[in-house]
Amino acid sequence: MPSPVLLDREQAILGFNRRVLAQASRSDVPLLERLRYVCIVSSNLDEFFEVRFADLLDAARDRSGTSGVGQADVERVGHAAHTLIDDQYAVFNEQLMPELARAGIAILNHAERNDAQRRWVARFFEREVRPLLVPVSLDPSHPFPQVANKALHFIVQLAGRDALGRESGQVAIVKVPRVLPRCIKLPAEVSGGQQLFVLLSSVIRAHLGELFPRREVVSFSQFRVTRDSDLDVDEEAVVNLRHAVRSRLTTRHFGRAVRLEVVKSCPEDLARMLLRQFELPEAALYRVNGPVNLVRLNQLIDQCEAPHLRFAPHEPVWPQGRLPRGRSLFERLREQDVLLHHPFESFDPVVALLREAVEDPEVLAIKQTIYRTGARSVLMDLLIEAARRGKEVLAVVELKARFDEEANVNWAERLEAAGAQVVYGMVGLKTHGKLLLVTRREGAAKPRLRRYLHLSTGNYNPGTARFYTDLGLLTADPALAADADAVFGLLASGSRVRRMHKLVLAPFDMHGQWLSLLERVRRAAEAGQPARVVAKLNALTDVELIEALLAAGRAGARIDLIVRGACRLPPGVPGLSENIRVRSIVGRFLEHTRVLYFRWGEAETDEALYLSSADWMTRNMQGRIELAWPVLDAGMRQRVIDEALQPYLHDGRDAWYQQSDGDYLPADGRGPSAQQALMARYAAGAAEDDAWT
């Protein structure tokens, strides 16, 4: 059968952001959280243009014709992005701003400020802003200044003469300093009992004329340029990857321009000038009806004193029943594995395991992969302390974790300075699997080494663990620990990996493992036996895996796919995918868990359940070190199914159902929210002995 026509990946990514934007219109979501969803869309779109759209442009410019991407594809995606951004600003202006104003929260422009407020803004401008502004009038000795990626600027058209009486420099550029807050809260003495804010851009706009004495400001506009920001390092051609990445970071902010944002009122001649300057076509111009860069409104949300307009506080619980406080984690893990479900359960046990390893004199070695851990990290501080105490510390730092490169380079240097052994994985492959392995000497009479392991579907980042859903396993299982040690050996030396006992490893056997299991499901369906697949992923774009799913579905297997973001498989197509359903969950937390369930018969052994660090994307299967592991304990398997699969299959509030054309329809709102149900379940059990083992 010929390959099916798959859905477009870029359109699928924009579609996910439409679902995020829909959260901003939900009446059951607190008002400030609705504004935060608008900010999230802006942040996501920045990355979309910096990486995905930039790649699309490169593919369209490839004259070899092998990419299969043409100018029509670029225009189609660009049109969808324009429409989404217009809708985003409509939600911001027509829904959120009026509702915030009714709640006593407002952003005031210059015309809306009273005399007292204008005087306060003028003093703030003179004291805090003006000393940092350096307006540049364009002329032969003052060329157009370098404009960094996503840096906000003003372009100003002037009339009049310069200091020498010459008619020159009729256009000027003013950079908005990044060191200043973009959202400033007015003090109580001028706010009249409301929570009033002014944007830094509005402060500068109101006082632009003061930057150009004896000249007239004829017209002006804010503008912001988004640039290609993918960090491309030829690992085969460099001697020291860390030095190469550090070097490239200095030029990343000045890559090829891919998008130009201006305010809606920007004069046509200034917009044309900017497009020429950045060598962009008309389609790359985005006129926005409001503040350029809505991401910065997160500062308003953080400064508002309105708890009733936010989500009720959520505090992840410590699994007291499985990990009694005050008891050694090593001692407990020798008795029983522990599964953690974040953010409903706390990430603190992972930190506690590493802390205990650092402080325990019997712990000899600690090995950990580092992908996204943040600029500040208690885990990295603990690894540094372990190295200082003389323990053998191996840190596998992924230097090419997109937009975390600088933080990871800094951590690599600090770890090396403390005496840790730092490596950067295998040449040409990103290390995306999450592993923490502790080796401890135990037994007084006959000492022996025992290993303790943490595996996770998420990152070693306690911050994101509070709002990403993920599953993690703490275990002393000798087979899993031996597999993990072999993976670290691979990452440190590149030596051939022996056959794994339990772990599944990309790019070596993971893709083949999933294809093999899907083939089992297909054969079972053809034989009239129970055949079932449930996969919870962030993205599904790999063509071979999609074709295997379609084959199993055509044979009669019942397939449910819970895919948060981009899904290229078209469900519900007669004769192709009528047995396949695709849903996306967009709620309070970012769905990040990867869970894979397969059934291919009636026997208890005819099923498999895996947790994984990998999405079903070609880059994960072929271009990354990824891990998956089976859940073999019966109680733990049931818990994963009951918490990470079943609630999402019955979600009637945060679910979206994908149609065969790629569009999504929202749930009717009458059913439960999986995330809210899990929050309630854990909150109810927090004061009791743990009911879920």
Side-chain angles (χ1 to χ4, degrees), residues 362-375:
E362 299 305 318
V363 168
L364 306 179
I366 302 172
K367 302 174 182 179
Q368 186 174 349
T369 59
I370 300 164
Y371 190 72
R372 296 192 193 279
T373 191

Side-chain angles (χ1 to χ4, degrees), residues 305-326:
E305 299 173 13
H308 63 291
L309 299 181
R310 292 189 171 88
F311 285 130
H314 166 68
E315 191 61 35
V317 301
W318 178 283
Q320 180 66 21
R322 283 166 285 134
L323 288 177
R325 290 184 184 274

Side-chain angles (χ1 to χ4, degrees), residues 97-259:
M97 287 300 97
E99 291 191 43
L100 284 168
R102 287 193 288 272
I105 300 168
I107 300 172
L108 301 182
N109 61 36
H110 181 69
E112 294 168 329
R113 298 195 278 266
N114 61 34
D115 290 342
Q117 292 162 352
R118 290 182 181 183
R119 287 193 296 271
W120 186 92
V121 168
R123 291 193 298 270
F124 179 84
F125 175 79
E126 284 296 326
R127 184 180 69 251
E128 304 287 343
V129 183
R130 185 168 186 165
L132 302 181
L133 298 181
V134 183
V136 176
S137 294
L138 304 184
D139 59 36
S141 63
H142 299 92
F144 204 104
Q146 276 202 318
V147 173
N149 180 41
K150 299 185 295 186
L152 186 64
H153 290 71
F154 278 86
I155 183 169
V156 185
Q157 192 165 26
L158 301 168
R161 299 178 181 275
D162 66 11
L164 298 177
R166 298 173 299 191
E167 290 277 358
S168 63
Q170 296 302 303
V171 174
I173 304 297
V174 181
K175 179 182 178 182
V176 178
R178 281 181 161 167
V179 296
L180 293 175
R182 291 294 174 85
C183 198
I184 302 114
K185 190 173 186 179
L186 294 178
E189 60 265 25
V190 297
S191 63
Q194 294 183 298
Q195 299 191 68
L196 303 180
F197 297 84
V198 294
L199 300 182
L200 178 62
S201 55
S202 174
V203 172
I204 295 173
R205 173 182 174 177
H207 297 276
L208 269 179
E210 299 172 29
L211 301 177
F212 306 97
R214 300 183 181 180
R215 305 192 75 178
E216 178 188 355
V217 173
V218 177
S219 60
F220 59 88
S221 176
Q222 301 172 45
F223 74 91
R224 190 175 79 130
V225 175
T226 311
R227 297 182 179 274
D228 182 348
S229 298
D230 212 6
L231 202 65
D232 186 19
V233 176
D234 185 356
E235 296 180 46
E236 302 282 356
V238 302
V239 176
N240 187 307
L241 181 60
R242 189 182 77 215
H243 292 168
V245 170
R246 172 74 80 185
S247 175
R248 288 301 305 273
L249 284 170
T250 61
T251 59
R252 156 183 265 176
H253 297 302
F254 301 100
R256 184 184 75 250
V258 295
R259 173 179 61 161

Side-chain angles (χ1 to χ4, degrees), residues 82 85-86 89 93 144 147 150-156 173 201 205 220-226 258-278 280-294:
H82 272 281
I85 291 170
D86 288 345
Y89 277 86
N93 289 312
F144 204 104
V147 173
K150 299 185 295 186
L152 186 64
H153 290 71
F154 278 86
I155 183 169
V156 185
I173 304 297
S201 55
R205 173 182 174 177
F220 59 88
S221 176
Q222 301 172 45
F223 74 91
R224 190 175 79 130
V225 175
T226 311
V258 295
R259 173 179 61 161
L260 171 64
E261 295 169 277
V262 299
V263 295
K264 191 175 183 179
S265 60
C266 177
E268 193 65 25
D269 57 335
L270 294 183
R272 298 273 78 74
M273 178 183 178
L274 290 170
L275 287 173
R276 289 193 300 272
Q277 174 65 35
F278 299 114
L280 288 170
E282 174 72 25
L285 178 66
Y286 288 76
R287 292 181 176 271
V288 300
N289 187 21
V292 175
N293 189 9
L294 291 170

